[in-house]
Amino acid sequence: MLILRRKKNESLLIGENIRITIIECASDGVRLAIDAPKQISILREELSEAEQSNKMALTPDINSVWALQSLLHHSSPKKNDSPQQ
């Protein structure tokens, strides 16, 4: 990990086409301006983590799927089992 100290209106370059400029420094955070090509995705880390959590929540555990399939298979009525009247 690289740690840098920058002041207001100072920038740093990543590669040849990404520039990050410090716009404002305050006790509650730092405002950054990021100049990068449109095809480069820029996402706050907490949003990326939330996206990963959502994807994991939407992907069922294979053991859960098998257990549900087994329950449904065993609880479905058989064709010969019709209700008595």
Side-chain angles (χ1 to χ4, degrees):
M1 176 185 296
L2 174 65
I3 300 174
L4 300 172
R5 183 180 304 256
R6 300 277 71 201
K7 295 179 181 177
K8 184 177 177 181
N9 297 322
E10 291 183 337
S11 298
L12 60 101
L13 298 173
I14 300 175
E16 296 181 7
N17 56 0
I18 300 173
R19 177 187 304 271
I20 300 175
T21 304
I22 308 302
I23 301 299
E24 181 182 328
C25 299
S27 62
D28 63 337
V30 175
R31 291 184 64 208
L32 304 171
I34 303 171
D35 184 22
K38 290 182 180 181
Q39 65 269 20
I40 294 180
S41 175
I42 301 171
L43 189 62
R44 291 181 293 160
E45 184 176 18
E46 65 271 15
L47 294 179
S48 177
E49 291 170 356
E51 180 181 44
Q52 290 300 321
S53 294
N54 288 339
K55 284 181 182 177
M56 291 297 292
L58 291 173
T59 306
D61 175 50
I62 191 67
N63 292 328
S64 299
V65 172
W66 287 339
L68 180 59
Q69 184 179 18
S70 176
L71 285 171
L72 292 174
H73 178 70
H74 291 303
S75 66
S76 62
K78 296 178 183 169
K79 291 182 180 181
N80 296 339
D81 292 344
S82 59
Q84 302 278 335
Q85 291 184 351

